[in-house]
Amino acid sequence: MPNRQRQLKADEIEKRRLLKEAKPYVYEKIMKFSEKVRRGESIAIIQFQYDYKCNFLCRHCDVNMLRTEKKDRFFTISDIRELSRQADEMGLAHFVITGGEPLIFPDLDDIVKAIDPGKFHITSDTNGWFLDAKKARHLKNIGIDKIQLSLDSLSGPEHDEFRRKAGAHRRAVRAIDAALDAGLNIILATVVTKQRVRAQEFIDFLEFAKGKGVGVFVTYAKPVGVWEGRFDLLVDRADMDYVKELEKKYNVFTHLTPAYGLDLGCIAVKRMVSITKYGDVMPCPYIHISLGNFFKEPLKDIIERGLKIKFFGNHCDTCLIAEDRKFINDYVVKKIYGKPLPVPYSEVFTSDDFIGQGGAVFTAAKKDI
């Protein structure tokens, strides 16, 4: 597939300018992304599931079967420093601290320091419950750049019921203003099901975000975690095309939306890996397959292995775990459901699923916009 660039949007150019001023070292790494992609290398965001403790019991929780306490080794602050070192050595530039709910982690400050804000752009996921003005200023001061705030409806009762927490909506809306006032970049992460994608409520939600001046990250419903087997919630290609059309009017995007001038399609392994509390490296937060364990081998080797698997190394123009019913049936239902998670890659993929040796593993495609 041709390695073509797309023209950057004005807001992307402005974000690069601000990043260059605030974090020049991170900016320099990002400026090398295109060349890394041409060489077939990953530019993965590290989605870091440091702990699964949470103050919510969300109806769609995708990590509920990962949060089972194990006797296995788990991350310490020293381990995070080593993860940061290896990721930096690979030229990676982004961490997302998640869980669980990061704002209840007692050692969050130490986690951020161990990652090293001078070397990485750092995002924190949050449900917003504890994100008031004071906390937002503190997060900004310790080096967090961005907040990804979960909000799933404009209706307070609907959001609270979905998140199983009375008052969740009110506090989430408060958190938007707190983050903006503190100078934090913020996006709203919202779950979109088959039933919601074309609803007027979703349009109203996008209008609300537009009025606040914040972007909306759409995460399509996945048949994993609490929603294991809920295929009725999954979107189809036509639904995804509809969301692409909405991108022309609203600041709304998905994992498939081109970024940094690159269209990588599905970003599993290429542009994101998810690392569990116990060191397993997964292709994304929703594909509960272990490509290897950080405590047993270098991150670079694990990611390179992932890129040799055809689903992650080749360009894919859909979300494997949200829309591709064949992948979901053949690899998730038949080989992951019912097993302790994450399932080792050797129990899921065969030799036929690996890309032949030689040449760049993947390239970026262009979508002129």
Side-chain angles (χ1 to χ4, degrees):
M1 185 159 308
N3 179 16
R4 295 175 291 178
Q5 299 285 105
R6 69 169 178 83
Q7 188 174 4
L8 293 177
K9 292 182 179 180
D11 64 328
E12 289 181 305
I13 295 172
E14 176 63 9
K15 286 180 180 178
R16 286 194 178 190
R17 184 189 68 79
L18 294 173
L19 180 63
K20 186 177 182 180
E21 291 180 358
K23 294 188 173 183
Y25 180 72
V26 179
Y27 170 82
E28 290 299 328
K29 286 198 286 188
I30 289 174
M31 293 304 293
K32 296 177 183 178
F33 276 3
S34 294
E35 181 56 35
K36 286 176 67 65
V37 168
R38 280 193 288 270
R39 294 198 300 264
E41 298 176 11
S42 173
I43 54 172
I45 297 167
I46 305 293
Q47 200 252 13
F48 183 40
Q49 300 174 0
Y50 176 71
D51 201 343
Y52 299 115
K53 294 175 182 176
C54 189
N55 58 322
F56 281 18
L57 292 170
C58 301
R59 291 195 175 277
H60 72 305
C61 182
D62 61 283
V63 299
N64 68 311
M65 284 186 269
L66 290 171
R67 62 168 26 118
T68 304
E69 289 296 325
K70 302 179 182 179
K71 295 181 180 179
D72 301 12
R73 179 179 173 184
F74 54 85
F75 270 95
T76 65
I77 297 301
S78 178
D79 294 324
I80 298 173
R81 283 194 289 268
E82 175 58 20
L83 174 62
S84 171
R85 186 195 67 79
Q86 291 190 28
D88 180 47
E89 194 173 72
M90 293 174 64
L92 305 183
H94 298 79
F95 267 78
V96 176
I97 303 170
T98 189
E101 168 54 42
L103 299 195
I104 69 171
F105 299 165
D107 49 355
L108 180 59
D109 289 22
D110 294 330
I111 295 168
V112 173
K113 184 177 180 181
I115 293 172
D116 192 344
K119 294 180 179 178
F120 293 94
H121 186 278
I122 301 177
T123 298
S124 177
D125 283 345
T126 184
N127 55 43
W129 187 265
F130 294 106
L131 188 55
D132 57 15
K134 181 179 178 181
K135 176 64 76 171
R137 290 193 298 269
H138 178 73
L139 296 180
K140 178 71 173 179
N141 288 338
I142 65 174
I144 288 178
D145 303 284
K146 183 177 180 180
I147 295 297
Q148 184 164 289
L149 175 72
S150 296
L151 186 64
D152 294 299
S153 177
L154 284 184
S155 165
E158 287 183 7
H159 176 83
D160 291 0
E161 195 278 333
F162 187 67
R163 295 285 169 173
R164 293 177 177 171
K165 188 79 167 181
H169 185 272
R170 175 177 55 82
R171 292 206 181 195
V173 172
R174 176 198 66 180
I176 298 172
D177 293 330
L180 291 172
D181 290 345
L184 287 163
N185 186 10
I186 181 171
I187 60 172
L188 304 182
T190 196
V191 178
V192 172
T193 62
K194 177 71 173 178
Q195 293 72 25
R196 188 187 186 207
V197 65
R198 296 174 188 266
Q200 181 60 43
E201 179 275 331
F202 183 48
I203 296 297
D204 294 342
F205 186 96
L206 297 180
E207 288 286 354
F208 166 78
K210 186 177 182 179
K212 288 285 187 180
V214 299
V216 175
F217 169 64
V218 166
T219 177
Y220 293 121
K222 318 290 196 307
V224 299
V226 176
W227 277 351
E228 184 174 298
R230 290 295 308 274
F231 308 117
D232 59 304
L233 301 174
L234 306 187
V235 299
D236 57 27
R237 286 290 186 114
D239 296 326
M240 295 170 70
D241 288 341
Y242 171 74
V243 174
K244 286 181 183 178
E245 286 300 308
L246 292 178
E247 292 182 24
K248 297 176 181 178
K249 183 176 180 181
Y250 300 101
N251 184 12
V252 58
F253 47 92
T254 71
H255 275 137
L256 295 168
T257 305
Y260 297 103
L262 300 167
D263 175 14
L264 300 178
C266 172
I267 65 172
V269 187
K270 306 177 192 73
R271 179 69 181 121
M272 170 174 280
V273 291
S274 188
I275 303 182
T276 73
K277 174 180 179 177
Y278 302 102
D280 288 295
V281 180
M282 303 186 299
C284 83
Y286 312 103
I287 301 177
H288 296 153
I289 298 169
S290 176
L291 301 172
N293 191 286
F294 173 75
F295 298 135
K296 297 178 181 178
E297 56 185 323
L299 180 64
K300 184 175 185 291
D301 293 352
I302 297 171
I303 290 181
E304 287 180 352
R305 175 185 298 126
L307 288 175
K308 292 176 182 176
I309 297 170
K310 63 183 181 182
F311 300 105
F312 315 129
N314 289 333
H315 192 279
C316 175
D317 65 353
T318 191
C319 180
L320 291 166
I321 193 64
E323 188 276 333
D324 190 327
R325 295 300 185 93
K326 180 172 175 55
F327 179 86
I328 292 169
N329 181 66
D330 293 351
Y331 292 91
V332 180
V333 176
K334 293 181 179 179
K335 297 185 178 183
I336 297 179
Y337 279 7
K339 294 183 178 180
L341 302 179
V343 180
Y345 74 93
S346 58
E347 296 181 17
V348 179
F349 301 116
T350 68
S351 58
D352 291 338
D353 295 316
F354 283 76
I355 299 169
Q357 300 297 314
V361 181
F362 72 92
T363 54
K366 177 184 178 183
K367 285 191 176 178
D368 291 319
I369 57 177

